[in-house]
Amino acid sequence: MNNRKIDHINFFQKSVILRTDYNVPISNTKITSTIRIDASLQTIQFILNQQPTKIIIISHRGRPNSPNDNDLSLILVRNYLE
């Protein structure tokens, strides 16, 4: 398997999908630890600096019991990233 490092990949005008681990603790609609989000910021910024066409960040929180399990929403993470 080819284990290339991210700094050897050209993202210029490419569509990029980035899989992240944003399974962060949330209490009373507040993120209580942003360590996992903050750890991904350098990678996101590196990709954005290469001017990709778009970057799609995918993640999840926990295991939902139903399709409408809002307790596991990533909206707070999205707001933090913005």
Side-chain angles (χ1 to χ4, degrees):
M1 187 158 94
N2 187 359
N3 290 327
R4 298 187 332 184
K5 296 193 181 216
I6 192 168
D7 56 348
H8 293 106
I9 300 173
N10 178 10
F11 296 107
F12 181 69
Q13 293 187 346
K14 304 266 173 71
S15 294
V16 179
I17 296 176
L18 178 64
R19 168 52 168 104
T20 60
D21 182 4
Y22 290 154
N23 199 14
V24 296
I26 294 178
S27 179
N28 297 325
T29 68
K30 290 201 146 214
I31 299 171
T32 58
S33 175
T34 61
I35 292 171
R36 291 180 184 207
I37 302 169
D38 295 338
S40 70
L41 293 177
Q42 184 177 2
T43 299
I44 294 169
Q45 193 59 53
F46 178 81
I47 294 169
L48 289 174
N49 286 342
Q50 290 196 31
Q51 301 175 332
T53 304
K54 62 182 160 184
I55 181 171
I56 300 167
I57 301 171
I58 59 174
S59 189
H60 70 91
R61 285 193 60 242
R63 294 186 180 268
N65 292 321
S66 70
N68 299 323
D69 196 345
N70 291 330
D71 290 337
L72 301 177
S73 171
L74 288 168
I75 291 174
L76 293 174
V77 174
R78 181 200 66 188
N79 293 343
Y80 183 84
L81 285 170
E82 287 178 342

